[in-house]
Tab-separated table of all heavy atoms in Angstrom:
chain	number	residue	atom	x	y	z
J	1	ALA	N	100.984	84.769	94.076
J	1	ALA	CA	101.010	84.373	92.688
J	1	ALA	C	101.023	85.632	91.801
J	1	ALA	O	101.635	85.621	90.704
J	1	ALA	CB	99.759	83.552	92.375
J	2	ASP	N	100.359	86.707	92.158
J	2	ASP	CA	100.351	87.881	91.370
J	2	ASP	C	101.740	88.528	91.245
J	2	ASP	O	102.155	88.948	90.170
J	2	ASP	CB	99.379	88.920	91.956
J	2	ASP	CG	97.927	88.520	91.774
J	2	ASP	OD1	97.632	87.680	90.903
J	2	ASP	OD2	97.091	89.051	92.545
J	3	THR	N	102.452	88.559	92.362
J	3	THR	CA	103.837	89.102	92.346
J	3	THR	C	104.713	88.214	91.474
J	3	THR	O	105.527	88.708	90.664
J	3	THR	CB	104.424	89.194	93.745
J	3	THR	OG1	103.521	89.980	94.555
J	3	THR	CG2	105.800	89.834	93.727
J	4	ALA	N	104.570	86.889	91.610
J	4	ALA	CA	105.333	85.982	90.791
J	4	ALA	C	105.050	86.210	89.317
J	4	ALA	O	105.973	86.200	88.493
J	4	ALA	CB	105.021	84.552	91.165
J	5	ALA	N	103.771	86.431	88.961
J	5	ALA	CA	103.401	86.670	87.618
J	5	ALA	C	104.079	87.948	87.060
J	5	ALA	O	104.539	88.010	85.922
J	5	ALA	CB	101.908	86.751	87.450
J	6	GLN	N	104.091	88.985	87.868
J	6	GLN	CA	104.742	90.230	87.476
J	6	GLN	C	106.239	90.075	87.209
J	6	GLN	O	106.804	90.516	86.200
J	6	GLN	CB	104.528	91.325	88.525
J	6	GLN	CG	103.098	91.760	88.672
J	6	GLN	CD	102.887	92.721	89.843
J	6	GLN	OE1	103.838	93.088	90.502
J	6	GLN	NE2	101.650	93.083	90.128
J	7	VAL	N	106.880	89.350	88.128
J	7	VAL	CA	108.352	89.086	87.992
J	7	VAL	C	108.615	88.321	86.706
J	7	VAL	O	109.522	88.661	85.903
J	7	VAL	CB	108.904	88.382	89.230
J	7	VAL	CG1	110.315	87.943	88.990
J	7	VAL	CG2	108.818	89.284	90.459
J	8	LEU	N	107.944	87.211	86.496
J	8	LEU	CA	108.217	86.347	85.376
J	8	LEU	C	107.806	87.021	84.048
J	8	LEU	O	108.441	86.779	83.027
J	8	LEU	CB	107.509	85.004	85.521
J	8	LEU	CG	108.028	84.117	86.665
J	8	LEU	CD1	107.410	82.741	86.611
J	8	LEU	CD2	109.544	84.024	86.656
J	9	SER	N	106.751	87.823	84.098
J	9	SER	CA	106.368	88.528	82.870
J	9	SER	C	107.463	89.536	82.459
J	9	SER	O	107.755	89.617	81.232
J	9	SER	CB	105.055	89.266	83.089
J	9	SER	OG	103.995	88.355	83.290
J	10	GLU	N	108.018	90.252	83.393
J	10	GLU	CA	109.120	91.171	83.072
J	10	GLU	C	110.347	90.429	82.620
J	10	GLU	O	111.037	90.848	81.693
J	10	GLU	CB	109.411	92.063	84.239
J	10	GLU	CG	108.415	93.161	84.457
J	10	GLU	CD	108.295	94.083	83.218
J	10	GLU	OE1	109.338	94.583	82.782
J	10	GLU	OE2	107.180	94.254	82.677
J	11	ALA	N	110.651	89.325	83.267
J	11	ALA	CA	111.786	88.532	82.862
J	11	ALA	C	111.573	87.983	81.430
J	11	ALA	O	112.519	87.998	80.601
J	11	ALA	CB	112.016	87.364	83.835
J	12	GLY	N	110.364	87.528	81.156
J	12	GLY	CA	110.041	87.059	79.808
J	12	GLY	C	110.160	88.120	78.787
J	12	GLY	O	110.630	87.861	77.637
J	13	ARG	N	109.757	89.324	79.118
J	13	ARG	CA	109.874	90.447	78.143
J	13	ARG	C	111.363	90.679	77.836
J	13	ARG	O	111.724	90.842	76.668
J	13	ARG	CB	109.248	91.727	78.733
J	13	ARG	CG	109.312	92.899	77.775
J	13	ARG	CD	109.150	94.198	78.489
J	13	ARG	NE	110.255	94.426	79.406
J	13	ARG	CZ	111.497	94.860	79.013
J	13	ARG	NH1	111.771	95.052	77.735
J	13	ARG	NH2	112.448	95.024	79.908
J	14	PHE	N	112.189	90.712	78.841
J	14	PHE	CA	113.637	90.939	78.620
J	14	PHE	C	114.233	89.814	77.746
J	14	PHE	O	114.961	90.084	76.807
J	14	PHE	CB	114.344	91.025	79.980
J	14	PHE	CG	115.848	91.251	79.804
J	14	PHE	CD1	116.342	92.558	79.664
J	14	PHE	CD2	116.744	90.219	79.793
J	14	PHE	CE1	117.706	92.809	79.490
J	14	PHE	CE2	118.114	90.442	79.627
J	14	PHE	CZ	118.566	91.727	79.480
J	15	ALA	N	113.917	88.565	78.084
J	15	ALA	CA	114.474	87.435	77.318
J	15	ALA	C	113.998	87.484	75.914
J	15	ALA	O	114.793	87.323	74.948
J	15	ALA	CB	114.099	86.155	77.996
J	16	SER	N	112.699	87.732	75.685
J	16	SER	CA	112.132	87.662	74.339
J	16	SER	C	112.489	88.854	73.501
J	16	SER	O	112.760	88.722	72.286
J	16	SER	CB	110.613	87.516	74.429
J	16	SER	OG	110.239	86.376	75.194
J	17	GLN	N	112.471	90.030	74.087
J	17	GLN	CA	112.612	91.257	73.279
J	17	GLN	C	114.024	91.832	73.267
J	17	GLN	O	114.418	92.536	72.328
J	17	GLN	CB	111.675	92.326	73.888
J	17	GLN	CG	110.224	91.965	73.754
J	17	GLN	CD	109.310	93.018	74.356
J	17	GLN	OE1	109.704	94.170	74.502
J	17	GLN	NE2	108.101	92.620	74.658
J	18	VAL	N	114.858	91.492	74.245
J	18	VAL	CA	116.225	92.037	74.297
J	18	VAL	C	117.239	90.971	73.910
J	18	VAL	O	118.085	91.178	73.043
J	18	VAL	CB	116.551	92.591	75.671
J	18	VAL	CG1	118.012	93.100	75.736
J	18	VAL	CG2	115.579	93.712	76.042
J	19	LEU	N	117.185	89.774	74.547
J	19	LEU	CA	118.204	88.770	74.289
J	19	LEU	C	117.995	87.945	73.036
J	19	LEU	O	118.944	87.721	72.286
J	19	LEU	CB	118.286	87.812	75.507
J	19	LEU	CG	118.775	88.394	76.840
J	19	LEU	CD1	118.879	87.306	77.883
J	19	LEU	CD2	120.133	89.094	76.615
J	20	ALA	N	116.764	87.505	72.794
J	20	ALA	CA	116.535	86.637	71.624
J	20	ALA	C	116.925	87.290	70.335
J	20	ALA	O	117.504	86.607	69.464
J	20	ALA	CB	115.061	86.177	71.588
J	21	PRO	N	116.658	88.576	70.110
J	21	PRO	CA	117.067	89.193	68.843
J	21	PRO	C	118.616	89.242	68.642
J	21	PRO	O	119.074	89.403	67.533
J	21	PRO	CB	116.492	90.627	68.932
J	21	PRO	CG	115.329	90.491	69.822
J	21	PRO	CD	115.747	89.491	70.857
J	22	LEU	N	119.356	89.058	69.703
J	22	LEU	CA	120.837	89.103	69.621
J	22	LEU	C	121.445	87.716	69.353
J	22	LEU	O	122.630	87.589	69.148
J	22	LEU	CB	121.448	89.691	70.882
J	22	LEU	CG	121.019	91.104	71.282
J	22	LEU	CD1	121.628	91.464	72.629
J	22	LEU	CD2	121.435	92.086	70.228
J	23	ASN	N	120.586	86.688	69.445
J	23	ASN	CA	121.091	85.297	69.456
J	23	ASN	C	121.798	84.948	68.133
J	23	ASN	O	122.947	84.489	68.127
J	23	ASN	CB	119.942	84.355	69.726
J	23	ASN	CG	120.413	82.926	69.921
J	23	ASN	OD1	121.359	82.679	70.668
J	23	ASN	ND2	119.748	81.985	69.309
J	24	ALA	N	121.103	85.119	67.007
J	24	ALA	CA	121.712	84.719	65.724
J	24	ALA	C	122.896	85.551	65.387
J	24	ALA	O	123.947	85.035	64.884
J	24	ALA	CB	120.653	84.842	64.630
J	25	GLY	N	122.841	86.884	65.646
J	25	GLY	CA	124.003	87.705	65.373
J	25	GLY	C	125.211	87.351	66.208
J	25	GLY	O	126.341	87.388	65.718
J	26	GLY	N	124.947	87.054	67.471
J	26	GLY	CA	126.056	86.637	68.352
J	26	GLY	C	126.733	85.359	67.823
J	26	GLY	O	127.923	85.187	67.921
J	27	ASP	N	125.904	84.477	67.271
J	27	ASP	CA	126.476	83.217	66.691
J	27	ASP	C	127.311	83.502	65.453
J	27	ASP	O	128.394	82.965	65.270
J	27	ASP	CB	125.301	82.265	66.388
J	27	ASP	CG	125.795	80.963	65.786
J	27	ASP	OD1	126.517	80.216	66.530
J	27	ASP	OD2	125.466	80.653	64.650
J	28	ARG	N	126.816	84.415	64.607
J	28	ARG	CA	127.531	84.716	63.336
J	28	ARG	C	128.842	85.474	63.599
J	28	ARG	O	129.877	85.187	63.007
J	28	ARG	CB	126.634	85.514	62.395
J	28	ARG	CG	125.519	84.748	61.793
J	28	ARG	CD	124.896	85.514	60.621
J	28	ARG	NE	124.453	86.843	61.055
J	28	ARG	CZ	123.193	87.089	61.523
J	28	ARG	NH1	122.337	86.101	61.575
J	28	ARG	NH2	122.867	88.305	61.895
């Protein structure tokens, strides 16, 4: 469970901090 938490936390950081800020601009 600890390893899973590390993997998903890093994935969440990438999605939230890298991809989400590009979403609206990509649409426009």
Side-chain angles (χ1 to χ4, degrees):
D2 289 341
T3 303
Q6 291 173 6
V7 171
L8 294 188
S9 294
E10 283 302 306
R13 183 202 62 78
F14 181 85
S16 303
Q17 298 179 19
V18 178
L19 293 184
L22 302 176
N23 188 46
D27 181 62
R28 288 193 304 270

